[in-house]
Amino acid sequence: MPVAGDYRCFSDDWRRTNPDLVLFLPRQPPQFVEAVDHVLVDVTPGGDLLAVWTFGAKADASDQTVLYARSEDGGRTWSRPGEFDPPGPKYGQVACFGFPVISRTGRIYVFYNKAAGVGTNYTSSFLRCSYSDDDGRSWMPGNVDIPYRRSLLSHPDPSVGTNALVWQKPIRDARDRWLVGYTEWSSLAAERPLAVRKPDSSAKDFNSECRCGFMRFDNIDEGPEPRDAQITWLPDGNELISVPITTDPDAPADLSFCQEPAVALLPDDRLFTVMRTRNGQIWYTVSDDHGRSWRPTEMLRYSDGASPLENPVSPTPLFRLRDGRYLQFLQNHDGWGHGAAGPTDSTRTRRPQFISVGEFRPAAHQPIWFSEPKFLFDTDGVGVPPFYRPWLSMYASLTEHNGERVLWYSDRKMFGLGRFITDDMLAGMTVPS
């Protein structure tokens, strides 16, 4: 098992993005598919930091698992990683994409995908859970598999898990309930795929229609056993949030491609969510009924009528700060740079990393307006073995704790790092009024 905070890493290239803190550096030979992915760090009820991330040592992802570690000094040092759920004996029975939900009772839950080895891949999963009553030091299995909601994209056989995942920490909605977004991809056996599949290999990615939804944990603050957790699936009905494909004239008009919703609460109690698309821009939508329904999706712009925030098929985390501002992370290009073949060429397009400051505009059509983006860091196009991907996939999280604001991120899906986001860094990033 790799050691968190051990600087005897197989590569010294983790310094390239100038991190301030180190969460995890793999020290085995470079065989990893994703040594660090979906880095979610939260503050425990006791005031320490808990990190949860997906780890895989084998290049075929057959040993993916969810690891956790704790820090008692603000992320300067971390405990040796623990493991929630080791891979099963059958190929594909892996755990991945864990996310914490912290109850007001002090109980900490970590929900994660557990694939049964049935279906298309490791995203054909159910939600499994482990929980802790001692501030994340030890964990107990929840002994329950919670199915994702079935939709028109789901496999008709309920024994086959839904192709879905959660990628961010939950937020509290206006009624103080934990809410988190998820992506669902179409199963090829679902009701819709025949309408979107194409016979030619050049359009094979049309097979993966994707839409976004939300789950709300209604009674988690009571500290229930995982089997008794009450989850409401949003939006209402059987239709998830969709974004049309605008960049390909051959795409069916009702075909959707949107992924990884990042949701934030507005001061007027509405919900605001942004998503990555294959259109070369971030898109967004708004709900004024706590997620039960959503406005038609639109391109996210710097202000009403202004230019869109450009981004390829790459994570677009959005965080609300304690001071009421918002931070939007983006690549700041539409995917046609760095030798890439378009927005979906993720190996090349997911760099460099920019940041934009957002502020609430109550009278505007788009309720958050944004500053011009500011460069944050880059890999300089340098990859690390074994795949030498130069990407910066911001499966990231943000903590504000003990006067420090930290972005926790995965560098090339190999290194778990932290970067201070200081007031000085954000100074001068003016939002249109």
Side-chain angles (χ1 to χ4, degrees):
M1 178 66 67
V3 177
D6 189 335
Y7 290 82
R8 295 172 296 167
C9 183
F10 71 87
S11 169
D12 199 45
D13 204 59
W14 60 269
R15 303 177 187 271
R16 185 170 294 276
T17 57
N18 297 314
D20 299 300
L21 301 168
V22 175
L23 164 63
F24 181 89
L25 298 176
R27 64 188 180 99
Q28 294 116 312
Q31 302 169 359
F32 314 99
V33 58
E34 293 175 357
V36 181
D37 198 6
H38 289 239
V39 183
L40 301 184
V41 179
D42 215 338
V43 181
T44 70
D48 296 331
L49 295 180
L50 171 70
V52 178
W53 69 97
T54 296
F55 171 81
K58 294 183 179 180
D60 63 358
S62 63
D63 68 339
Q64 274 196 330
T65 188
V66 179
L67 301 184
Y68 68 91
R70 296 180 78 260
S71 174
E72 298 179 355
D73 57 6
R76 273 70 177 172
T77 60
W78 291 86
S79 65
R80 185 180 182 88
E83 185 178 32
F84 286 113
D85 195 337
K90 183 178 179 181
Y91 182 83
Q93 292 178 327
V94 297
C96 50
F97 312 133
F99 62 98
V101 185
I102 299 178
S103 169
R104 292 202 185 280
T105 64
R107 174 170 284 184
I108 305 173
Y109 302 82
V110 171
F111 293 87
Y112 55 89
N113 276 21
K114 182 66 175 183
V118 178
T120 56
N121 53 43
Y122 60 85
T123 63
S124 299
S125 304
F126 298 88
L127 278 174
R128 193 167 285 185
C129 178
S130 292
Y131 65 97
S132 172
D133 290 326
D134 60 1
D135 213 51
R137 292 177 174 85
S138 63
W139 296 84
M140 293 165 282
N143 298 319
V144 63
D145 285 337
I146 302 171
Y148 281 91
R149 175 174 66 172
R150 314 299 288 186
S151 78
L152 296 177
L153 304 184
S154 304
H155 195 285
D157 182 351
S159 68
V160 178
T162 302
N163 293 332
L165 65 87
V166 171
W167 78 296
Q168 288 277 269
K169 295 185 298 184
I171 68 159
R172 288 195 179 270
D173 69 6
R175 295 180 178 174
D176 206 32
R177 301 166 296 189
W178 285 120
L179 177 88
V180 70
Y182 69 95
T183 309
E184 182 177 351
W185 289 262
S186 177
S187 166
L188 295 184
E191 182 175 334
R192 283 187 52 82
L194 292 179
V196 304
R197 292 177 66 187
K198 286 191 156 190
D200 61 297
S201 60
S202 65
K204 63 182 179 181
D205 54 1
F206 281 172
N207 290 352
S208 299
E209 178 172 19
C210 42
R211 300 182 179 225
C212 296
F214 298 87
M215 63 181 81
R216 189 181 69 218
F217 295 89
D218 293 330
N219 68 335
I220 211 79
D221 280 327
E222 300 170 10
E225 294 298 305
R227 64 178 176 272
D228 297 322
Q230 297 173 4
I231 300 176
T232 295
W233 301 89
L234 302 167
D236 290 346
N238 205 24
E239 286 291 333
L240 302 177
I241 295 170
S242 63
V243 171
I245 296 176
T246 63
T247 54
D248 193 323
D250 294 329
D254 63 344
L255 177 61
S256 169
F257 190 103
C258 60
Q259 300 173 341
E260 296 167 0
V263 63
L265 183 65
L266 299 175
D268 60 7
D269 291 348
R270 290 182 294 169
L271 293 171
F272 182 90
T273 192
V274 298
M275 297 155 286
R276 76 181 191 183
T277 74
R278 57 178 292 163
N279 297 334
Q281 316 95 24
I282 303 173
W283 282 49
Y284 83 98
T285 181
V286 181
S287 173
D288 59 8
D289 57 5
H290 312 290
R292 298 185 61 186
S293 63
W294 296 80
R295 275 179 9 191
T297 51
E298 305 172 64
M299 284 189 292
L300 185 69
R301 300 179 182 274
Y302 287 98
S303 60
D304 285 352
S307 301
L309 278 70
E310 292 187 332
N311 204 71
V313 182
S314 181
T316 60
L318 172 73
F319 306 110
R320 181 179 176 177
L321 303 181
R322 288 178 178 171
D323 64 14
R325 293 180 296 174
Y326 300 83
L327 294 183
Q328 176 69 68
F329 291 84
L330 69 160
Q331 252 70 64
N332 196 34
H333 63 84
D334 63 5
W336 294 99
H338 309 289
T344 61
D345 187 0
S346 60
T347 299
R348 296 179 177 88
T349 59
R350 294 183 179 183
R351 54 169 289 261
Q353 194 59 53
F354 285 77
I355 186 173
S356 178
V357 173
E359 293 179 359
F360 179 56
R361 298 290 181 258
H365 174 73
Q366 179 182 297
I368 301 178
W369 288 7
F370 295 92
S371 71
E372 287 298 313
K374 182 177 183 178
F375 174 82
L376 190 60
F377 48 66
D378 192 13
T379 64
D380 305 314
V382 177
V384 292
F387 302 118
Y388 293 93
R389 294 167 178 153
W391 55 9
L392 283 168
S393 298
M394 285 296 102
Y395 293 104
S397 55
L398 186 115
T399 55
E400 291 185 281
H401 182 54
N402 292 339
E404 295 179 335
R405 185 187 298 126
V406 181
L407 173 72
W408 301 97
Y409 65 99
S410 170
D411 175 7
R412 284 159 286 185
K413 295 195 177 184
M414 288 292 177
F415 314 120
L417 306 172
R419 182 73 173 266
F420 292 127
I421 306 296
T422 64
D423 288 338
D424 287 344
M425 182 185 300
L426 304 181
M429 299 184 70
T430 304
V431 181
S433 61

